[in-house]
Amino acid sequence: MSITNTPTSNDACLSIVHSLMCHRQGGENETFAKRAIESLVKKLKEKKDELDSLITAITTNGAHPSKCVTILRTLDGRLQVAGRKGFPHVIYATLWRWPDLHKNELKHVKYCQFAFDLKADNVCVNPYHYERVVSPGIDLSGLTLSSSGTLMVKDEYEFENQPSHSGADGHHQTIQHQPSRPGGPQELFSSSALLPPPEGSSSASTSAFSSLAAGASRMVNNEIAFQPPISNHPAPDYWCSIAYFEMDVQVGETFKVPASCPTVTVDGYVDPSGGDRFCLGQLSNVHRTEAIERARLHIGKGVQLECKGEGDVWVRCLSDHAVFVQSYYLDREAGRAPGDAVHKIYPSAYIKVFDLRQCHRQMQQQAATAQVAAAAQAAAVAGNIPGPGSVGGIAPAISMSAAAGIGVDDLRRLCILRMSFVKGWGPDYPRQSIKETPCWIEIHLHRALQLLDEVLHTMPIADPQPLD
């Protein structure tokens, strides 16, 4: 290998693969990435100029012009690597440029002579000969629709002859949220009733859909504008506080966002934090591992959190990589139990993740249920609830114990958002908890916590009392 540590086509395959592996973006597991890169390097070993072009393109992040890097087109156009099949230009663009890329988002640059779409015998897989284009419309061919209308995107690669990761009920555990169409609020596209008419339908039906969407947009905006406040108590001085974690350790101090800054950006840069910007790049951690350091490099522009109305929260993903969100509001919108799903928010997506009124109703219901259940349990233990199915009231006490077990911490979780950068967690990933992800934030919503305090004052949840 040369003195500069950048290999050339004359170096051993192993050295070239190792160097190219260092530049992957983390969208695929290491084994798959290594197999894909090894396969490509071996195919290019006899085409030294193209191999040098690939090395130059990847190691300089496309800073220098490079030639086409070609492999033979297969009969079905797809390449098989480690039991997976995918379009070759998408596989390598995913490895080295956009880890959350989908197959319909690539457009070749004008000077690429062997672009995939040109249907030549050879296919160019140089990631820097393609640009990422997010279509203004949603390509429904790659989407499935849940019962609640939430759009879920199929993964680009599927293991051959292996079941995909999904729940027992057939739902995806990671629910994916793509950028919406420009100009419309997110709610317009969370209902199957407002999906655009199928291709080939009449212009009259298309016009009717446009009118319906416009009317719904006005309706949503008016509803937000004219809703009376939930509480007459003055809003807190800070609308949220953000704590940053690496694995299960908090790093740095909690960042408070003043009410005068309804929009705050959390990014990976090293500028001083303050007011409407929380920069994670400046935070040091003596226990930081190399894996965490690599993940932090990809936070980039991060996310923007926006407080609307009395306390609703929206998220915009500014990063080149997806973020993963735990949101009880999105769970409910997707027809899932609270805490049952992880939500993948793609770059450029702008999505509502918290609804204050819904949260307030839920905390009232849970507090009331816990209060009634605790009273019933106490009466049952005292033997004051006779019945055919009870022995001194013990059976009803057991049946109510789950509801009576709701505590203040359970209610506080309703007022908290959690979000990881770059890496996801849950059944679809090797990490089962957000505390196993390399870099994540926890957002405490102060108006919601203030309302919870009011609810607990009106219907306090008593701690379980020890038996005499």
Side-chain angles (χ1 to χ4, degrees):
M1 194 178 288
S2 62
I3 298 174
T4 60
N5 289 329
T6 300
T8 70
S9 57
N10 293 320
D11 286 303
C13 285
L14 192 63
S15 300
I16 298 171
V17 169
H18 176 74
S19 176
L20 296 179
M21 279 286 286
C22 293
H23 292 271
R24 65 191 182 93
Q25 295 299 304
E28 291 292 346
N29 65 61
E30 188 170 350
T31 302
F32 177 83
K34 190 174 181 181
R35 291 279 292 276
I37 295 172
E38 283 176 347
S39 170
L40 180 58
V41 170
K42 287 176 182 176
K43 288 173 182 172
L44 297 175
K45 207 53 178 146
E46 300 304 316
K47 298 189 283 187
K48 292 185 179 295
D49 58 334
E50 292 188 22
L51 183 52
D52 282 327
S53 283
L54 176 70
I55 294 168
T56 299
I58 302 307
T59 57
T60 65
N61 295 323
H64 300 294
S66 53
K67 301 176 183 177
C68 284
V69 177
T70 62
I71 60 174
L72 278 173
R73 180 185 293 270
T74 59
L75 288 175
D76 66 355
R78 297 190 298 168
L79 180 68
Q80 181 162 331
V81 178
R84 302 189 194 182
K85 274 194 171 183
F87 295 116
H89 63 312
V90 176
I91 289 177
Y92 294 107
T94 301
L95 283 178
W96 285 310
R97 293 196 71 182
W98 303 287
D100 51 4
L101 181 69
H102 290 280
K103 63 183 178 183
N104 297 321
E105 295 180 341
L106 287 182
K107 179 183 177 183
H108 64 271
V109 295
K110 291 180 180 178
Y111 53 82
C112 182
Q113 297 176 309
F114 297 95
F116 181 82
D117 292 338
L118 299 180
K119 308 293 184 186
D121 291 339
N122 290 306
V123 178
C124 178
V125 295
N126 185 338
Y128 293 93
H129 277 206
Y130 294 89
E131 295 171 343
R132 189 174 187 178
V133 178
V134 179
S135 170
I138 299 175
D139 175 18
L140 297 177
S141 64
L143 303 176
T144 56
L145 194 62
S146 75
S147 56
S148 67
T150 301
L151 293 173
M152 301 181 186
V153 186
K154 297 176 183 175
D155 287 338
E156 165 62 20
Y157 307 117
E158 295 176 356
F159 281 99
E160 299 278 87
N161 304 319
Q162 290 189 30
S164 60
H165 293 284
S166 59
D169 59 356
H171 286 246
H172 293 267
Q173 297 300 311
T174 303
I175 299 175
Q176 311 194 25
H177 302 267
Q178 294 276 13
S180 294
R181 299 179 178 187
Q186 171 214 354
E187 285 91 348
L188 292 180
F189 303 102
S190 64
S191 168
S192 56
L194 289 179
L195 285 174
E199 206 173 318
S201 57
S202 68
S203 59
S205 64
T206 305
S207 174
F209 169 74
S210 302
S211 302
L212 178 62
S217 176
R218 286 192 298 272
M219 197 165 57
V220 169
N221 292 331
N222 289 340
E223 186 183 349
I224 293 171
F226 295 113
Q227 282 179 337
I230 299 171
S231 169
N232 292 324
H233 283 195
D237 293 336
Y238 299 91
W239 72 266
C240 79
S241 55
I242 306 170
Y244 169 66
F245 293 82
E246 292 176 359
M247 308 294 278
D248 59 352
V249 177
Q250 181 173 348
V251 177
E253 296 182 0
T254 300
F255 183 80
K256 292 185 176 181
V257 184
S260 58
C261 298
T263 301
V264 60
T265 301
V266 183
D267 60 40
Y269 301 128
V270 294
D271 299 336
S273 298
D276 63 351
R277 189 174 176 200
F278 185 18
C279 295
L280 306 179
Q282 61 171 336
L283 301 178
S284 60
N285 176 11
V286 294
H287 302 295
R288 183 172 293 152
T289 64
E290 186 181 344
I292 293 173
E293 194 66 70
R294 279 200 307 268
R296 279 168 51 85
L297 291 174
H298 296 299
I299 296 174
K301 295 179 181 178
V303 295
Q304 193 176 69
L305 305 171
E306 184 177 359
C307 182
K308 288 189 176 185
E310 193 176 353
D312 294 351
V313 180
W314 291 63
V315 167
R316 188 187 303 277
C317 181
L318 303 175
S319 173
D320 290 335
H321 300 265
V323 294
F324 298 81
V325 179
Q326 184 181 68
S327 159
Y328 288 176
Y329 168 77
L330 288 178
D331 290 344
R332 183 167 280 98
E333 290 295 293
R336 308 300 291 271
D340 188 41
V342 179
H343 300 268
K344 185 175 183 179
I345 313 297
Y346 280 85
S348 302
Y350 179 57
I351 188 166
K352 185 177 183 179
V353 294
F354 181 81
D355 186 286
L356 185 67
R357 289 180 182 276
Q358 186 189 83
C359 176
H360 186 241
R361 285 194 299 271
Q362 193 173 356
M363 65 175 68
Q364 284 180 315
Q365 291 166 0
Q366 287 195 16
T369 301
Q371 192 177 41
V372 170
Q377 186 180 38
V381 170
N384 294 335
I385 305 181
S390 65
V391 180
I394 298 300
I398 294 171
S399 66
M400 297 291 279
S401 63
I406 297 173
V408 175
D409 285 345
D410 298 291
L411 295 174
R412 281 179 62 85
R413 287 192 194 100
L414 301 174
C415 312
I416 294 171
L417 295 168
R418 285 176 161 184
M419 183 182 307
S420 73
F421 296 95
V422 186
K423 300 292 185 181
W425 78 96
D428 293 344
Y429 297 90
R431 299 162 292 276
Q432 295 306 302
S433 160
I434 193 171
K435 293 183 179 181
E436 296 173 34
T437 61
C439 39
W440 59 281
I441 55 175
E442 185 171 84
I443 305 143
H444 289 239
L445 303 172
H446 292 185
R447 183 60 167 174
L449 289 165
Q450 183 185 51
L451 294 177
L452 175 58
D453 194 49
E454 289 183 26
V455 168
L456 293 176
H457 274 90
T458 56
M459 50 177 83
I461 300 176
D463 292 328
Q465 297 299 314
L467 297 174
D468 292 333

